[in-house]
Amino acid sequence: MRTLTAIPVYNEAKHVRQVLGEVRRYSPDILVINDGSTDGTAELLAAEPGVHRIDHPTNRGYGAALISAFAYALEHDYDVLVTMDCDGQHEPARIPVLLEAIHDCDIVSGSRYFRDFRQDTPAPTDRRFINATITREINARYGFDLTDSFCGFKAYRREALASLSITERGWGMPLQLWVQAARQHLRVKEIGVPRLYLDPNRAFGGVMNDPEQRLAYYRGVLASAEQDVLPVFTGGCPVPTPCECPEMR
């Protein structure tokens, strides 16, 4: 099973070398999407051997970085794509757990609220509230049983990637993903991952720093995704709602 681990990076000079060093222990193929970093991250990446790289000339957004990762994985015929962040919140040692879980599902998604871990840290209040609100709305509207709709630590089968048409370039990209996954009847599974907020004061930037505007934006992404034109997909569950795959604890 050919596996690629993709890491969106924007101004992560503080973490990128350590994260890549850890990821190398679990993934032979690594793709870094440098999303217009201006803090020296690009120079650090230039010194990292054996890493596939995509450079966005300017910062396009979290979703745009993952759109590039999806296209790269499909173009280069990888069987499974793992995505993770570069800010130290995702533990590369969990990559094998994602890969083990995907044998009978299309998407495996990490959840910071699925179970407790010794190293858990408190989530910022507004982020926890918005995550819980949006996750509840997604479950009610699309038949999922998610506990964390925003976690970027995921594994995708190639067939699942090919069934999606992601266009959302911002932080709301995971929500477009869930709507499309429901519409394509993809088999989804969650696994627990530690909840690590190393910098609880880290901001989204711009209007996204306002919780009310952030929530309104996320709901707009959900509504818009219901109108997306999707590729023809013959896999997934042969039932009109997403599968309830056994959850791994």
Side-chain angles (χ1 to χ4, degrees):
M1 187 168 65
R2 294 187 67 230
T3 301
L4 175 70
T5 297
I7 309 172
V9 174
Y10 175 63
N11 288 350
E12 294 291 357
K14 181 179 178 180
H15 299 286
V16 65
R17 295 188 67 183
Q18 180 179 353
V19 169
L20 287 175
E22 285 294 310
V23 173
R24 281 191 176 95
R25 300 173 59 188
Y26 305 99
S27 178
D29 284 7
I30 303 171
L31 170 68
V32 174
I33 306 92
N34 176 32
D35 191 32
S37 295
T38 58
D39 68 339
T41 293
E43 290 73 17
L44 292 174
L45 289 173
E48 292 288 338
V51 173
H52 307 291
R53 181 170 160 184
I54 295 173
D55 286 282
H56 293 172
T58 59
N59 180 241
R60 297 178 183 173
Y62 174 74
L66 289 179
I67 290 170
S68 292
F70 287 8
Y72 187 96
L74 289 170
E75 181 181 351
H76 292 84
D77 296 322
Y78 285 95
D79 300 305
V80 176
L81 173 69
V82 173
T83 61
M84 61 174 290
D85 294 346
C86 193
D87 56 4
Q89 294 190 36
H90 297 158
E91 296 182 334
R94 306 278 168 183
I95 292 174
V97 183
L98 291 172
L99 297 179
E100 179 183 1
I102 204 167
H103 74 280
D104 63 350
C105 278
D106 299 305
I107 300 174
V108 178
S109 185
S111 170
R112 296 157 291 183
Y113 305 103
F114 188 79
R115 51 165 288 199
D116 294 329
F117 290 86
R118 172 186 52 80
Q119 62 267 50
D120 283 350
T121 58
T125 302
D126 64 318
R127 297 195 185 194
R128 181 67 187 103
F129 171 76
I130 290 175
N131 191 327
T133 299
I134 291 294
T135 300
R136 184 169 57 250
E137 293 178 7
I138 287 174
N139 289 339
R141 291 166 67 175
Y142 307 110
F144 287 119
D145 191 22
L146 301 173
T147 59
D148 185 352
S149 56
F150 284 94
C151 184
F153 203 7
K154 287 182 169 63
Y156 305 81
R157 283 188 177 276
R158 173 182 176 82
E159 296 81 2
L161 293 179
S163 76
L164 302 172
S165 181
I166 301 299
T167 57
E168 176 55 47
R169 295 171 51 168
W171 295 109
M173 171 268 175
L175 309 185
Q176 183 183 33
L177 166 70
W178 289 128
V179 177
Q180 293 190 7
R183 292 177 57 195
Q184 296 286 47
H185 310 309
L186 298 185
R187 301 167 297 168
V188 171
K189 181 188 296 184
E190 278 191 326
I191 63 167
V193 297
R195 183 175 62 253
L196 304 175
Y197 281 95
L198 305 183
D199 181 5
N201 296 317
R202 189 167 183 169
F204 289 94
V207 298
M208 291 290 285
N209 288 338
D210 183 307
E212 290 187 5
Q213 293 192 56
R214 194 158 77 244
L215 184 58
Y217 156 64
Y218 290 149
R219 284 172 169 157
V221 171
L222 291 174
S224 178
E226 294 181 351
Q227 308 303 318
D228 290 342
V229 178
L230 302 180
V232 174
F233 180 57
T234 58
C237 297
V239 293
T241 57
C243 282
E244 296 180 2
C245 295
E247 294 169 324
M248 295 188 63
R249 299 182 184 273

